[in-house]
Short mmCIF file of all heavy atoms in Angstrom, two decimals:
data_model
loop_
_atom_site.label_atom_id
_atom_site.label_comp_id
_atom_site.label_asym_id
_atom_site.label_seq_id
_atom_site.Cartn_x
_atom_site.Cartn_y
_atom_site.Cartn_z
N ALA A 1 -36.26 -19.21 -38.27
CA ALA A 1 -35.12 -19.85 -37.60
C ALA A 1 -33.80 -19.33 -38.16
O ALA A 1 -33.62 -19.27 -39.38
CB ALA A 1 -35.21 -21.38 -37.77
N GLY A 2 -32.93 -18.93 -37.27
CA GLY A 2 -31.60 -18.44 -37.69
C GLY A 2 -31.57 -17.02 -38.15
O GLY A 2 -30.51 -16.54 -38.57
N GLU A 3 -32.70 -16.31 -38.10
CA GLU A 3 -32.74 -14.93 -38.64
C GLU A 3 -32.88 -13.88 -37.55
O GLU A 3 -33.18 -12.73 -37.82
CB GLU A 3 -33.91 -14.79 -39.63
CG GLU A 3 -33.74 -15.63 -40.88
CD GLU A 3 -34.85 -15.41 -41.87
OE1 GLU A 3 -35.72 -14.56 -41.61
OE2 GLU A 3 -34.86 -16.09 -42.93
N GLY A 4 -32.66 -14.26 -36.28
CA GLY A 4 -32.71 -13.27 -35.21
C GLY A 4 -31.56 -12.28 -35.33
O GLY A 4 -30.57 -12.53 -36.03
N LEU A 5 -31.71 -11.16 -34.67
CA LEU A 5 -30.71 -10.08 -34.76
C LEU A 5 -29.66 -10.23 -33.68
O LEU A 5 -29.98 -10.26 -32.50
CB LEU A 5 -31.40 -8.72 -34.64
CG LEU A 5 -30.51 -7.50 -34.64
CD1 LEU A 5 -29.82 -7.33 -36.00
CD2 LEU A 5 -31.31 -6.24 -34.28
N ASP A 6 -28.37 -10.34 -34.09
CA ASP A 6 -27.31 -10.36 -33.11
C ASP A 6 -27.16 -8.97 -32.50
O ASP A 6 -27.08 -7.98 -33.21
CB ASP A 6 -25.98 -10.77 -33.77
CG ASP A 6 -25.95 -12.23 -34.16
OD1 ASP A 6 -26.66 -13.02 -33.51
OD2 ASP A 6 -25.22 -12.59 -35.11
N VAL A 7 -27.15 -8.92 -31.17
CA VAL A 7 -27.04 -7.64 -30.48
C VAL A 7 -25.92 -7.64 -29.47
O VAL A 7 -25.43 -8.71 -29.05
CB VAL A 7 -28.37 -7.28 -29.77
CG1 VAL A 7 -29.52 -7.15 -30.76
CG2 VAL A 7 -28.71 -8.33 -28.72
N GLU A 8 -25.49 -6.47 -29.11
CA GLU A 8 -24.44 -6.31 -28.09
C GLU A 8 -25.08 -6.04 -26.74
O GLU A 8 -25.85 -5.11 -26.57
CB GLU A 8 -23.51 -5.13 -28.47
CG GLU A 8 -22.68 -5.35 -29.71
CD GLU A 8 -21.49 -6.26 -29.44
OE1 GLU A 8 -21.02 -6.29 -28.29
OE2 GLU A 8 -21.04 -6.92 -30.39
N ARG A 9 -24.78 -6.88 -25.77
CA ARG A 9 -25.19 -6.65 -24.39
C ARG A 9 -23.96 -6.85 -23.50
O ARG A 9 -22.90 -7.23 -23.97
CB ARG A 9 -26.31 -7.61 -23.98
CG ARG A 9 -27.67 -7.22 -24.58
CD ARG A 9 -28.78 -8.12 -24.08
NE ARG A 9 -29.04 -7.96 -22.66
CZ ARG A 9 -29.95 -7.11 -22.17
NH1 ARG A 9 -30.64 -6.34 -22.98
NH2 ARG A 9 -30.14 -7.02 -20.87
N ARG A 10 -24.13 -6.59 -22.21
CA ARG A 10 -22.99 -6.67 -21.30
C ARG A 10 -22.27 -8.00 -21.37
O ARG A 10 -21.07 -8.10 -21.29
CB ARG A 10 -23.45 -6.41 -19.86
CG ARG A 10 -23.75 -4.97 -19.56
CD ARG A 10 -24.23 -4.83 -18.13
NE ARG A 10 -23.29 -5.38 -17.20
CZ ARG A 10 -23.62 -5.73 -15.95
NH1 ARG A 10 -24.86 -5.62 -15.54
NH2 ARG A 10 -22.71 -6.21 -15.12
N GLY A 11 -23.04 -9.10 -21.50
CA GLY A 11 -22.44 -10.43 -21.52
C GLY A 11 -21.66 -10.74 -22.77
O GLY A 11 -20.92 -11.71 -22.81
N THR A 12 -21.80 -9.93 -23.81
CA THR A 12 -21.15 -10.20 -25.09
C THR A 12 -19.64 -10.26 -24.93
O THR A 12 -18.95 -11.07 -25.53
CB THR A 12 -21.50 -9.13 -26.13
OG1 THR A 12 -22.94 -9.06 -26.24
CG2 THR A 12 -20.93 -9.47 -27.50
N ARG A 13 -19.11 -9.38 -24.06
CA ARG A 13 -17.65 -9.34 -23.86
C ARG A 13 -17.14 -10.58 -23.14
O ARG A 13 -15.95 -10.85 -23.12
CB ARG A 13 -17.27 -8.10 -23.07
CG ARG A 13 -17.82 -8.06 -21.65
CD ARG A 13 -17.62 -6.70 -21.05
NE ARG A 13 -18.08 -6.63 -19.66
CZ ARG A 13 -18.40 -5.52 -19.04
NH1 ARG A 13 -18.33 -4.38 -19.68
NH2 ARG A 13 -18.78 -5.54 -17.78
N ALA A 14 -18.05 -11.36 -22.52
CA ALA A 14 -17.66 -12.60 -21.88
C ALA A 14 -17.89 -13.80 -22.78
O ALA A 14 -17.86 -14.94 -22.32
CB ALA A 14 -18.43 -12.75 -20.58
N GLY A 15 -18.14 -13.55 -24.06
CA GLY A 15 -18.34 -14.65 -24.99
C GLY A 15 -19.76 -15.17 -25.06
O GLY A 15 -19.99 -16.27 -25.55
N HIS A 16 -20.73 -14.39 -24.57
CA HIS A 16 -22.14 -14.79 -24.64
C HIS A 16 -22.75 -14.18 -25.90
O HIS A 16 -22.71 -12.99 -26.09
CB HIS A 16 -22.91 -14.26 -23.42
CG HIS A 16 -22.44 -14.82 -22.12
ND1 HIS A 16 -23.19 -14.79 -20.96
CD2 HIS A 16 -21.27 -15.43 -21.78
CE1 HIS A 16 -22.53 -15.34 -19.98
NE2 HIS A 16 -21.35 -15.74 -20.44
N GLN A 17 -23.29 -15.04 -26.75
CA GLN A 17 -23.90 -14.57 -27.99
C GLN A 17 -25.38 -14.33 -27.78
O GLN A 17 -26.14 -15.21 -27.40
CB GLN A 17 -23.73 -15.61 -29.10
CG GLN A 17 -24.35 -15.19 -30.42
CD GLN A 17 -24.27 -16.28 -31.47
OE1 GLN A 17 -23.50 -17.22 -31.33
NE2 GLN A 17 -25.03 -16.12 -32.55
N TYR A 18 -25.83 -13.09 -28.04
CA TYR A 18 -27.23 -12.70 -27.85
C TYR A 18 -27.91 -12.58 -29.21
O TYR A 18 -27.47 -11.79 -30.04
CB TYR A 18 -27.35 -11.37 -27.12
CG TYR A 18 -27.01 -11.47 -25.65
CD1 TYR A 18 -25.68 -11.44 -25.23
CD2 TYR A 18 -28.01 -11.57 -24.69
CE1 TYR A 18 -25.37 -11.53 -23.89
CE2 TYR A 18 -27.70 -11.64 -23.35
CZ TYR A 18 -26.39 -11.63 -22.95
OH TYR A 18 -26.07 -11.71 -21.63
N ASN A 19 -28.97 -13.34 -29.40
CA ASN A 19 -29.74 -13.29 -30.63
C ASN A 19 -31.14 -12.82 -30.30
O ASN A 19 -31.94 -13.55 -29.72
CB ASN A 19 -29.76 -14.70 -31.25
CG ASN A 19 -30.05 -14.67 -32.74
OD1 ASN A 19 -30.98 -15.29 -33.18
ND2 ASN A 19 -29.22 -13.99 -33.51
N LEU A 20 -31.45 -11.55 -30.64
CA LEU A 20 -32.77 -10.98 -30.32
C LEU A 20 -33.81 -11.58 -31.25
O LEU A 20 -33.71 -11.49 -32.46
CB LEU A 20 -32.72 -9.46 -30.47
CG LEU A 20 -33.99 -8.69 -30.10
CD1 LEU A 20 -34.33 -8.88 -28.62
CD2 LEU A 20 -33.80 -7.20 -30.39
N LEU A 21 -34.86 -12.16 -30.64
CA LEU A 21 -35.90 -12.86 -31.43
C LEU A 21 -37.10 -11.99 -31.75
O LEU A 21 -38.05 -12.46 -32.37
CB LEU A 21 -36.34 -14.12 -30.68
CG LEU A 21 -35.23 -15.14 -30.38
CD1 LEU A 21 -35.80 -16.34 -29.64
CD2 LEU A 21 -34.56 -15.58 -31.67
N GLY A 22 -37.11 -10.75 -31.34
CA GLY A 22 -38.21 -9.87 -31.62
C GLY A 22 -38.26 -8.73 -30.63
O GLY A 22 -37.78 -8.84 -29.50
N HIS A 23 -38.83 -7.59 -31.08
CA HIS A 23 -38.92 -6.44 -30.19
C HIS A 23 -40.09 -5.57 -30.63
O HIS A 23 -40.23 -5.26 -31.82
CB HIS A 23 -37.63 -5.63 -30.23
CG HIS A 23 -37.69 -4.40 -29.35
ND1 HIS A 23 -37.48 -4.46 -28.00
CD2 HIS A 23 -37.93 -3.10 -29.65
CE1 HIS A 23 -37.58 -3.23 -27.47
NE2 HIS A 23 -37.86 -2.40 -28.47
N ILE A 24 -40.95 -5.24 -29.67
CA ILE A 24 -42.05 -4.29 -29.91
C ILE A 24 -41.88 -3.16 -28.92
O ILE A 24 -41.84 -3.38 -27.71
CB ILE A 24 -43.42 -4.97 -29.72
CG1 ILE A 24 -43.61 -6.08 -30.79
CG2 ILE A 24 -44.54 -3.94 -29.83
CD1 ILE A 24 -44.89 -6.85 -30.64
#
């Protein structure tokens, strides 16, 4: 909990915070 990776996506510039919870 709370350790996801903050990433930049298109919505980031609109104030949307993206926290990636895993990637394979």
Side-chain angles (χ1 to χ4, degrees):
E3 294 184 3
L5 176 66
D6 289 333
V7 298
E8 292 283 332
R9 285 184 67 91
R10 285 178 55 200
T12 305
R13 64 191 182 202
H16 297 198
Q17 179 185 346
Y18 287 82
N19 203 237
L20 183 63
L21 301 180
H23 179 80
I24 296 177

